[in-house]
């Protein structure tokens, strides 16, 4: 018998190890951006093609590399960041394992140009599947450009495991956001398929958050500041009324590194306690600075987990810091939120000179008048018929509203002063006069919210009814997706999608609810699948399902609506449990008081 144990060739060993570090284009984005930051760059440009499948390129103006380093950095365990085991406990850089570039080189075609300030010429190097193809001198700016092309070109199996471009791009965005938030003082731009998606100037944190997530964040955030001997805590947390039904922006950074920590999340959530409406999550951007000796970031290959020496104290500091911040900015208790969420027409500030007696009240008005009460349902039908909203119309065929335990009764029609005072602008927004001012409604967002709550209730009560399809649709999925589809089957049945599994990878849809008959079922399931995968950690799968379906079937911008349709939509919106935001947390309506209008003309 001969011996059978062999040492794997380096290229194979690298490829296997690469699997740990580079799972998808987003992992390469993370590693390359972090390297640029570690190199002291102040401007970093990220260029992508096809969600990173064919190109992930990072160009930085950092310190560059010598010709020797430019060659050496592709070797496994090649790092300039730690020299001995002790250094592991004083890490201030993002990278330190020396495996990212070796991993990238093992599973892609790589081109690097790099130059240090002190060198006249830079180094140009081409590598494919860990093999150096060429190295020469080149004129290039100070800094480094690394282009990773055709990820997994030599590992087709791994390539097949990549998800659709939108999903891969979302993962990339997540990494980009993390880096952008950790380093607001660094200029960052992102190009995707030659389109500029972001051009973030160096700025303070608040401006960076706003540049990433939208101007409305400016108003949503309050600063968090807490300094103790164990840790310094900074950043922003959101006012409770802006908490979201879905886990949205929740970021912890420890010494500039994004981390995930359910334990610390709990501390924040607890601090909000009574201020948060049921089943909502606060948005936060929290930055902890701790002596690197007191944290161990070395426990996870992708380094988003972390161990604190004194976890309990950090928890306590975070909790009290959050409470103090909420208190300091005088964020009042639940009642405020209730007012915001419910349909409140207190548009005018208390100091405004207009008082109730000066407003003419319609004494004849009776909210319980029969035709008023039936109106919404009738007009919903009109809405569907007249504007040819087939989805909307069909929704009601398989779904009897009377049986739905609508969470709240219709609010009185009182807020809308005049009937027939709806006005649609650019087939996108609805303007209506209300007591004390006017209201602007986003028709798509509003309908999305209405459908979302309706679908959620269908999911809870299993009330979806399906109609047999003339031609059943056969759908094929790879093994991992098939597992997700299997998991989705119960919610799908509740919504009236009759899907059965035929074998390991084949599913057949033989009936769908009337309201989605016109929707491409394959597209719909693909989107649901994406959403489902993203929310894999959520215990309540109904939410992503209802959300996706609502987004897909809500009326679009550009759809013209008549008076009754607009009124029906407004009524439905304000009958929602949470009428003020759509399913992505964006406002569905906006109120302008007379005083606001007056200000335009001062
Ligand atoms: P690590 O970041 O863990 O050290 P990497 O494989 O990511 O390992 O990088 C290896 C080494 O290559 C780094 O330690 C650094 O010295 C060098 N390097 C990588 N990217 C850059 C860059 N953009 N600019 C300058 N040096 C870089
Ligand atoms: Mg690195």
């Amino acid at each position: 018998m001969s011996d059978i144990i062999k040492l794997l060739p380096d290229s194979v060993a690298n490829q296997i190890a690469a699997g740990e570090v580079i799972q998808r284009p987003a992992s390469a984005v993370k590693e390359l951006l972090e390297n640029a930051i570690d190199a002291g760059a102040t401007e970093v440009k990220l260029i992508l093609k096809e969600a990173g499948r064919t190109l992930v390129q990072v160009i930085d103006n950092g310190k560059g590399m010598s010709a020797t380093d430019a060659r050496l950095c592709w070797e496994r365990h090649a790092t300039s960041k730690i020299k001995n085991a002790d250094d592991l406990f004083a890490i201030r850089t993002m990278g330190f394992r020396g495996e990212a570039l070796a991993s990238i080189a093992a599973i892609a075609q790589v081109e690097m140009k790099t130059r240090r300030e002190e060198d006249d010429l830079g180094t140009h190097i081409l590598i494919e599947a860990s093999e150096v193809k060429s190295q020469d001198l080149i004129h290039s700016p100070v800094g480094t450009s690394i282009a990773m092309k055709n990820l997994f070109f030599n590992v087709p199996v791994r390539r097949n495991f990549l998800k659709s471009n939108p999903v891969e791009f979302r993962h990339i965005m997540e990494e980009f956001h993390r880096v952008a938030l950790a380093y607001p003082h660094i200029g960052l731009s992102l190009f995707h398929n030659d389109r500029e998606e972001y051009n973030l100037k160096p700025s303070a944190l608040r401006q960076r958050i706003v540049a990433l997530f939208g101007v409305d964040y400016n108003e949503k955030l309050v600063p968090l500041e807490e300094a103790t001997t164990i840790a310094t805590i900074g950043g922003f947390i959101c006012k409770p009324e802006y908490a979201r039904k879905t886990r949205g922006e929740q970021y912890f950074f420890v010494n500039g590194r994004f981390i995930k920590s359910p334990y610390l999340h709990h501390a924040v959530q607890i601090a909000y306690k009574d201020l948060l409406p049921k089943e909502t999550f606060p948005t936060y951007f929290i930055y902890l600075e701790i002596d690197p000796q007191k944290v161990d970031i070395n426990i996870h290959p992708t380094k988003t987990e972390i161990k604190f020496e004194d976890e309990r104290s950090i928890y306590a500091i975070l909790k009290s810091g959050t409470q103090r911040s909420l208190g300091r900015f005088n964020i009042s208790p639940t009642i405020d939120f209730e007012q915001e969420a419910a349909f409140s027409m207190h548009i005018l500030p208390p100091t405004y000179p207009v008082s109730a007696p000066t407003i003419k009240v319609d004494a004849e008005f009776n909210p319980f008048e029969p035709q008023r009460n039936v109106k919404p349902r009738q007009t919903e039908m009109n809405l569907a018929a007249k504007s040819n909203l087939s989805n909307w119309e069909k929704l009601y065929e398989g779904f009897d509203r009377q049986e739905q335990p609508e969470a709240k009764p219709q609010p009185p029609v009182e807020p809308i002063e005049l009937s027939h005072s709806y006005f649609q602008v650019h087939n996108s927004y609805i303007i209506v006069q209300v007591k004390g001012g006017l209201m602007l409604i986003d028709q798509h967002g509003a309908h999305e919210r209405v459908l979302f709550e309706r679908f959620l209730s269908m999911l809870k009560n299993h009330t979806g009814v399906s109609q047999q399809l003339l031609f059943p649709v056969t759908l094929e999925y790879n093994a991992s997706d098939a597992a997700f589809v299997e998991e989705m089957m119960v919610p799908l049945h509740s919504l009236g999608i009759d899907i059965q599994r035929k074998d390991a990878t084949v599913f057949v849809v033989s009936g769908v609810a009337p309201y989605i008959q016109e929707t491409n079922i394959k597209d719909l399931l693909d989107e649901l699948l994406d959403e489902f995968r993203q929310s894999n950690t959520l215990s309540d799968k109904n939410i992503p399902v209802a959300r996706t379906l609502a987004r897909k079937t809500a009326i679009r911008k550009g759809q013209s609506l008549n008076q009754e349709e607009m009124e029906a939509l407004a009524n439905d919106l304000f009958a929602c449990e949470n009428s003020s935001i759509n399913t992505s947390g964006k406002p569905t309506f906006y109120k302008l008081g007379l005083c606001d209008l007056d200000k335009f003309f001062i």
Side-chain angles (χ1 to χ4, degrees):
M1 278 291 268
S2 60
D3 300 328
I4 52 171
I5 294 178
K6 289 194 188 72
L7 285 175
L8 289 174
D10 263 3
S11 61
V12 178
N14 278 345
Q15 225 185 67
I16 295 170
E20 257 211 350
V21 186
I22 308 294
Q23 287 125 9
R24 51 178 12 130
S27 344
V29 167
K30 170 186 191 308
E31 296 296 340
L32 294 176
L33 288 179
E34 289 185 353
N35 278 348
I37 291 185
D38 284 346
T42 54
E43 286 293 335
V44 182
K45 189 166 164 180
L46 169 62
I47 302 170
L48 306 162
K49 291 256 158 74
E50 292 176 72
R53 274 166 212 275
T54 49
L55 178 73
V56 172
Q57 182 175 14
V58 172
I59 305 173
D60 69 55
N61 66 350
K63 64 179 182 225
M65 281 180 257
S66 70
T68 317
D69 284 352
R71 181 79 170 231
L72 203 60
C73 69
W74 303 99
E75 299 293 326
R76 189 154 298 277
H77 308 306
T79 180
S80 54
K81 299 168 195 173
I82 53 173
K83 296 190 180 62
N84 52 49
D86 284 348
D87 291 348
L88 265 180
F89 301 100
I91 288 166
R92 280 282 176 192
T93 51
M94 302 291 278
F96 56 87
R97 293 161 168 266
E99 40 187 26
L101 292 186
S103 301
I104 288 171
I107 38 87
Q109 297 158 333
V110 182
E111 176 174 15
M112 177 169 85
K113 293 173 196 166
T114 183
R115 180 167 78 88
R116 298 182 301 178
E117 196 159 20
E118 60 264 47
D119 300 329
D120 292 331
L121 285 174
T123 305
H124 180 215
I125 202 162
L126 290 175
I127 302 180
E128 249 177 50
S130 304
E131 212 180 293
V132 179
K133 295 286 180 191
S134 75
Q135 175 165 1
D136 41 54
L137 296 172
I138 194 173
H139 283 283
S140 68
V142 172
T144 304
S145 156
I146 297 181
M148 178 191 85
K149 296 175 189 164
N150 303 318
L151 178 62
F152 301 136
F153 80 104
N154 55 340
V155 211
V157 188
R158 303 281 306 283
R159 202 167 53 225
N160 293 340
F161 270 102
L162 293 180
K163 307 300 181 198
S164 65
N165 283 359
V167 174
E168 292 302 337
F169 187 65
R170 255 202 315 266
H171 284 289
I172 291 177
M173 289 304 295
E174 189 54 36
E175 295 298 348
F176 183 80
H177 285 165
R178 290 172 187 175
V179 172
L181 288 168
Y183 298 93
H185 57 281
I186 291 179
L188 268 175
S189 55
L190 190 161
F191 291 79
H192 186 210
N193 295 334
D194 296 323
R195 210 177 79 173
E196 186 181 87
E197 301 280 349
Y198 283 105
N199 187 355
L200 305 170
K201 302 288 172 224
S203 64
L205 178 60
R206 192 188 264 273
Q207 281 74 25
R208 177 58 56 97
I209 294 173
V210 165
L212 282 172
F213 300 110
V215 276
D216 46 336
Y217 272 76
N218 200 19
E219 191 204 324
K220 292 181 184 177
L221 302 173
V222 291
L224 173 69
E225 283 154 22
E226 195 77 6
T228 69
T229 49
I230 298 172
T232 309
I233 298 176
F236 292 94
I237 57 178
C238 80
K239 297 176 189 165
E241 65 262 39
Y242 295 112
R244 298 167 45 154
K245 286 240 172 178
T246 54
R247 240 168 233 272
E249 273 68 65
Q250 299 183 332
Y251 292 90
F252 280 120
F253 298 91
V254 174
N255 299 343
R257 186 187 299 278
F258 171 82
I259 59 140
K260 285 186 187 142
S261 169
Y263 183 67
L264 294 188
H265 170 74
H266 191 257
V268 178
Q269 190 93 19
I270 285 288
Y272 272 88
K273 214 171 53 197
D274 299 333
L275 295 173
L276 282 181
K278 213 172 77 223
E279 287 168 22
T280 62
F281 302 95
T283 289
Y284 52 78
F285 307 89
I286 297 177
Y287 296 72
L288 291 99
E289 288 294 327
I290 303 173
D291 178 355
Q293 305 263 7
K294 302 224 155 75
V295 292
D296 182 3
I297 45 178
N298 202 16
I299 56 171
H300 193 272
T302 51
K303 294 166 285 183
T304 52
E305 278 162 31
I306 193 166
K307 249 171 50 190
F308 299 99
E309 195 180 275
D310 193 356
E311 206 170 39
R312 280 164 169 239
S313 308
I314 310 266
Y315 182 99
I317 297 167
L318 190 56
K319 183 176 154 219
S320 66
T322 307
Q323 277 167 337
R324 219 190 310 274
S325 171
L326 289 171
R328 190 166 49 224
F329 291 91
N330 206 7
I331 290 158
S332 38
T334 348
I335 315 160
D336 256 0
F337 179 85
E338 297 288 339
Q339 270 183 358
E340 188 63 31
F343 186 64
S344 150
M345 290 314 301
H346 296 290
I347 297 170
L348 304 176
T351 49
Y352 194 74
V354 176
S355 57
T358 63
I359 295 172
K360 204 161 179 288
V361 177
D362 177 7
E364 303 289 278
F365 175 70
N366 174 4
F368 301 105
E369 215 174 298
Q371 74 267 39
R372 280 266 180 190
N373 266 350
V374 289
K375 213 166 185 184
R377 191 171 156 74
Q378 278 177 346
T379 50
E380 268 157 15
M381 289 305 189
N382 291 343
L383 176 60
K386 286 196 187 157
S387 61
N388 206 7
L389 297 178
S390 50
N391 291 341
W392 191 326
E393 179 180 41
K394 284 170 178 168
L395 174 64
Y396 294 98
E397 287 174 14
F399 176 70
D400 188 355
R401 262 189 111 212
Q402 306 303 314
E403 285 168 21
Q404 288 316 300
E406 284 280 17
K408 280 190 186 167
Q410 293 271 351
V413 196
E414 161 201 283
I416 318 285
E417 255 190 351
L418 306 165
S419 55
H420 304 297
S421 59
Y422 295 85
F423 186 78
Q424 193 184 22
V425 268
H426 294 280
N427 290 342
S428 302
Y429 299 97
I430 300 167
I431 297 180
V432 59
Q433 176 176 323
V434 293
K435 213 163 165 185
L438 63 83
M439 184 161 56
L440 265 169
I441 301 175
D442 170 18
Q443 66 183 48
H444 175 68
H447 195 208
E448 193 184 288
R449 161 56 58 184
V450 170
L451 292 182
F452 172 69
E453 296 200 359
R454 206 157 282 167
F455 290 143
L456 260 191
S457 124
M458 279 165 102
L459 283 162
K460 280 194 194 112
N461 304 302
H462 310 285
T463 42
V465 182
S466 74
Q467 281 179 0
Q468 286 305 106
L469 285 173
L470 213 47
F471 304 104
V473 183
T474 303
L475 301 166
E476 213 173 329
Y477 293 98
N478 66 33
S480 75
D481 285 352
F484 278 112
V485 177
E486 175 80 39
E487 250 189 276
M488 282 187 344
M489 279 171 58
V490 173
L492 289 178
H493 289 161
S494 306
L495 288 164
I497 300 175
D498 182 9
I499 181 168
Q500 303 297 338
R501 192 169 188 164
K502 283 294 163 224
D503 61 38
T505 55
V506 177
F507 293 78
V508 173
V509 179
S510 46
V512 297
Y515 66 90
I516 45 171
Q517 238 161 25
E518 309 233 315
T519 318
N520 179 323
I521 186 77
K522 168 99 175 63
D523 281 358
L524 182 64
L525 285 185
D526 281 351
E527 260 179 61
L528 282 171
L529 207 57
D530 280 355
E531 205 37 53
F532 221 66
R533 272 192 297 256
Q534 297 279 309
S535 55
N536 202 19
T537 46
L538 276 183
S539 55
D540 187 357
K541 306 276 193 206
N542 285 349
I543 290 173
V545 171
R547 186 174 50 213
T548 309
L549 209 57
R551 283 180 189 168
K552 196 102 184 126
T553 52
I555 49 163
R556 305 267 138 214
K557 283 198 179 8
Q559 179 95 52
S560 97
L561 303 174
N562 65 25
Q563 284 297 320
E564 290 175 321
E565 293 156 358
M566 291 189 270
E567 186 177 348
L569 182 54
N571 281 331
D572 279 356
L573 177 65
F574 295 112
C576 283
E577 219 175 309
N578 192 350
S579 49
S580 57
I581 50 171
N582 73 2
T583 61
S584 349
K586 306 246 165 66
T588 49
F589 67 93
Y590 200 82
K591 293 174 282 183
L592 269 179
L594 282 173
C595 56
D596 296 323
L597 296 176
D598 288 344
K599 276 192 217 131
F600 290 134
F601 304 100
I602 291 171

